[in-house]
Each structure stands twice: as structure tokens, then as C-alpha cells.
Amino acid sequence: MMRTRPLKVALLGCGVVGSEVARIMSTHADDLAARIGAPVELAGIAVRRPNRVRAGVAPELLTTDATALVKRGDIDVVIEVIGGIEPARSLITTAFEHGASVVSANKALLAADGTALHAAAVEAGVDLYYEAAVAGAIPLIRPLRESLAGDRVDRVLGIVNGTTNFILDKMDSTGAGYSEALDEATALGYAEADPTADVEGFDAAAKAAILAGIAFHTRVTIGDVHREGITEVTAGDIASAKEMGCTVKLLAICERSADGSSVTARVHPAMIPLTHPLANVRGAYNAVFVEAAAAGRLMFYGPGAGGSPTASAVLGDLVATCRNKLANTTGPGESAYARLTVRPMDDVVTRYHISLDVADKPGVLAQVATVFAEHQVSIDTVRQQGREQSGGAGTGADEGRLAVDGGEASLVVVTHRAPDAALAATVEALRKLDTVRGVASIMRVEGE
């Protein structure tokens, strides 16, 4: 039987996502009630500018006093879609103190302070759900913490930021430079007026922290995530990737070590083979690979942002928290029992693609190869960028001159797998060679 007294919901924020949440709650009210077992009522919406016209939103629901709204005492669930650290954190903890469960899309706050928020929710006996914080409409958090709860997740690898994927895809498909592709992303609404959080990797790093914590049952914050953005990716990098049969993607990579004692989390652009499924994720879409011991490889794909997709994830969490309210129970909270060590980027074993501008003179290849050997980094291939391929290290090619006109040449070196610290030290040593005029680009190679 359906309970007649409605569950009351407070909505914090009524922007792109919040307005869609309010609209769907209204237009799908009967369906939501049937799925939950009780009607849900939007009791109030906290906004900064109440005079702004919001289609389909009753003006009498709007208030600028978010604190008073969450303190009402009759609110069952608070939906937080305002973003940022404060006042979101204070409003969420206040909601807990007044008996309300919380559904949030706030990746930045959860990545920075998720442990404290989970503890506050447990103390209050309420829920904290946040499916919408990672990858928009794609069901990812619930499968990781519920469907795969009986399995061991070893790796999470994915594209979790639509803006950067659109930019890199545009650079790959049209030959455009970074600035040109960013301008198009902005014009189409894929990039914010200030795109820093996206293009510098902060958004993806927050999501990586959340995913790593859930996947490995270990507390991981955004401070534990190595982060690099895409602002230094050039059309030349994209062209080099194509020559290798690869494309460039901004990847979030969370891995368990082979012995199972530690984990790493990182975000950076990388070359991946065109045969990898992630290479075919185009436009502003997201996709995440999860590798588990028993389940094997699973791929989750779909729109990673936008009002309607994100609202879909929010409402899924709303249904779950309301069902828990009716059953007088709570869902799964933070699982951090493993307490695995979070290792720094220096310890990650990876591969480098390095483009060098070098002097056109005898012995250059020998000097370059010696630097790699001194740092115990093995060279996979060496080639002359855009010209006839040179011999590999150790083939005797260093005994002659590079076959180029003028006084400079471009060498592209691809390494075998080595610790990132050794690879970075190798690059710094290369910079100091008199015969190396400059290191044009450095990019990791993944997905093989």
C-alpha cells in the first residue's frame, strides 16, 4: 500500500541541473510515487536570484535562505546541486543534523571531504548518495559499491570529462589546435566561460578520487590524485599519436598494485591505441572501464554531463533514499576497511612518448640512448618525426648523421614500461644535453 503522507524534498540550487530535477519531479510525480511507495513533494528551492524566471518552477517555492530551508525539520531529503565547498558542506551537515538524507552532485566537495561527510551521515542515521557526482547519467558508483561488492576491482580507467574529450576529439578529427578546439567547445556550450576546472584536469581528478575510494575500499582524496590537464597538448602530439596508430584522451586511471597492498590514482592526457574501445568515445561522451577479478572487463558509456542526464542520476538516488526512509534503514555508506597505501605518481609504471628537437650532428643518437640507459629506461622505438624512420637504439644509426636538411632534427622516442620517476629523470637529463635543443612534448602511452 502507498503511504499518503508525502516525503518532503528540499532542492539546493536551480540552475541547469536543479531546474531539470524540479521539472522531472513535477512531470513524473505519479511514476516516482509508484516506484518509491509514497508521493514526493518539492517543499522548497534555495536560489541566489529568486527574481530570475525559471520555466515550470512555482515562484512560491523559491527562497534565498538555504539554511532555514534545511533546518525546517520536516524535510526528508535534501538535494544539493549548488557545487563548490562552501556553503554546500555546511548545508549538507546541517541537513544531517536535522534528520534529512542528502543526494549530492558535488564532486569537488566529496573528493575533498567525503570521509567527514560519510561519518556525519552515519552519526545522524541518514543517507549520503552521489551517483551524479561522477559521469552524469552513467550508472557507475552504485555498480562499484553494490553490484561489484563481492568482487575485487583492480583497475578503473576512463574518460570522465566531456569538455576535454570534445576538445581532443575535435583536434583529432579536424587537425585543429587546442585554442581553436576550445573556442568551438565554448561556442557550443560544452566548455564554461572559465574552463580551468575541466581543461586543467581538476574535475576529472575529483572524480578519480571518488572512484578510487569506492573501488578499492580505501580513503582517497583529490590531494592523492596526480593531475595534468590538456592545455599543453598540441596538434603535433595528435599527429604523432596517429602515426603510432593511437589517439589522445584525457584519462582517469585508478589502479591496484600487483601485490594488492597499494593503489594509485592519476589524471593526465595519454596516447591509446585506436583498437582500444575508449579511442572511439567521441564528442562530449564519457566512458569508464572497470577491471575486476571475477567479472572481468566492464564498460560503462553515456553522456557524462548536461541537465537531463545529471538529473536522471540525481532522481535515481532520490528514489533510493526515499525507499530507505520508508523502510527506516540506510543504504551502503563509506567502505574504507582496506586502508591501502596510496602511492605517488613517481611509483607508477608507464611508458613515455618523447619528442626531441636535436642538433643534426654525428653521435646524437648515441648520446640520447646513453641517457636512457643510465636511468635504466629501455627504448622501444626511435624515429625521425615526419621523415624516413631512423634506426633504433643500438642499431648503429648513431654512427652517422640524421638525414635532414639544415642544422636541426626531430627525434621521437617511445620507451618500454618504467617507473614514472625514472622516466621523468631521463627527460630532465635529456634537457641538459648540448645536442638537445629542446623537449618538444612528453606524453604517456596507455591502454596496451
Side-chain angles (χ1 to χ4, degrees):
M1 293 180 62
M2 183 178 294
R3 194 180 77 164
T4 56
R5 186 182 73 79
L7 292 161
K8 294 190 176 183
V9 177
L11 177 61
L12 307 182
C14 198
V16 173
V17 176
S19 60
E20 274 298 289
V21 170
R23 183 189 67 80
I24 296 172
M25 285 186 65
S26 174
T27 57
H28 292 70
D30 291 342
D31 286 339
L32 290 172
R35 294 165 192 166
I36 292 169
V40 287
E41 174 188 313
L42 191 53
I45 305 173
V47 297
R48 286 185 298 173
R49 293 179 286 274
N51 294 327
R52 174 184 291 178
V53 176
R54 296 170 173 86
V57 176
E60 61 270 19
L61 291 177
L62 303 179
T63 177
T64 57
D65 194 341
T67 301
L69 178 59
V70 300
K71 280 184 172 181
R72 275 179 39 169
D74 63 338
I75 300 297
D76 295 290
V77 180
V78 170
I79 297 174
E80 182 271 310
V81 288
I82 56 177
I85 305 300
E86 288 292 352
R89 175 167 46 198
S90 297
L91 291 170
I92 288 173
T93 55
T94 299
F96 290 155
E97 292 165 1
H98 287 78
S101 291
V102 171
V103 172
S104 176
N106 196 331
K107 65 190 81 68
L109 177 58
L110 289 158
D113 210 18
T115 293
L117 292 176
H118 274 291
V122 170
E123 183 177 356
V126 295
D127 277 322
L128 173 61
Y129 275 58
Y130 44 91
E131 184 68 63
V134 180
I138 304 172
L140 188 57
I141 289 177
R142 190 171 285 110
L144 279 174
R145 72 178 186 179
E146 296 181 28
S147 303
L148 295 173
D151 206 343
R152 186 190 76 238
V153 175
D154 293 319
R155 194 170 193 237
V156 179
L157 166 72
I159 297 165
V160 295
N161 182 273
T163 299
T164 53
N165 199 58
F166 178 88
I167 292 170
L168 293 173
D169 183 37
K170 185 60 61 174
M171 292 174 70
D172 181 84
S173 61
T174 68
Y178 167 76
S179 296
E180 183 182 352
L182 173 59
D183 288 344
E184 183 170 351
T186 303
L188 293 173
Y190 292 124
E192 301 286 348
D194 179 0
T196 302
D198 293 320
V199 299
E200 294 291 358
F202 290 101
D203 176 85
K207 295 170 181 177
I210 294 170
L211 291 174
I214 296 171
F216 306 132
H217 305 280
T218 292
R219 287 170 180 164
V220 180
T221 69
I222 192 169
D224 297 317
V225 181
H226 175 83
R227 175 193 55 80
E228 298 173 29
I230 66 167
T231 55
E232 301 300 318
V233 177
T234 67
D237 293 326
I238 302 294
S240 291
K242 286 186 174 182
E243 289 185 12
M244 292 176 58
C246 294
T247 189
V248 178
K249 298 291 185 182
L250 182 72
L251 298 179
I253 306 172
C254 311
E255 295 176 301
R256 187 192 299 267
S257 62
D259 64 6
S261 65
S262 61
V263 299
T264 57
R266 51 195 166 107
V267 167
H268 54 72
M271 297 180 178
I272 58 173
L274 294 175
T275 53
H276 195 286
L278 290 179
N280 295 312
V281 178
R282 312 303 296 268
Y285 273 70
N286 286 190
V288 177
F289 255 85
V290 176
E291 298 178 14
R297 292 184 173 184
L298 309 172
M299 183 172 175
F300 301 83
Y301 170 83
S308 293
T310 306
S312 171
V314 168
L315 289 163
D317 281 349
L318 175 64
V319 170
T321 55
C322 286
R323 286 173 175 171
N324 290 342
K325 282 282 183 180
L326 293 179
N328 196 29
T329 187
T330 57
E334 182 187 37
S335 175
Y337 73 88
R339 298 184 178 88
L340 301 178
T341 301
V342 183
R343 292 183 295 129
M345 185 66 192
D346 284 352
D347 294 344
V348 172
V349 176
T350 184
R351 301 177 65 201
Y352 270 22
H353 173 285
I354 306 166
S355 179
L356 302 172
D357 294 328
V358 299
D360 175 20
K361 60 190 295 185
V364 172
L365 290 178
Q367 290 183 8
V368 169
T370 297
V371 170
F372 280 91
E374 288 173 348
H375 290 84
Q376 298 184 336
V377 175
S378 176
I379 294 176
D380 183 14
T381 62
V382 181
R383 75 179 188 274
Q384 223 174 289
Q385 181 77 359
R387 297 178 184 269
E388 184 179 354
Q389 184 171 319
S390 68
T395 65
D398 53 293
E399 296 175 5
R401 294 172 64 85
L402 296 174
V404 296
D405 298 325
E408 293 188 1
S410 178
L411 287 180
V412 174
V413 180
V414 181
T415 73
H416 287 292
R417 288 167 61 82
D420 199 82
L423 290 163
T426 301
V427 172
E428 288 308 305
L430 290 170
R431 294 184 195 275
K432 296 176 182 177
L433 290 179
D434 291 339
T435 51
V436 174
R437 306 292 174 81
V439 179
S441 70
I442 307 163
M443 191 167 294
R444 295 176 183 86
V445 181
E446 299 285 346
E448 296 178 303

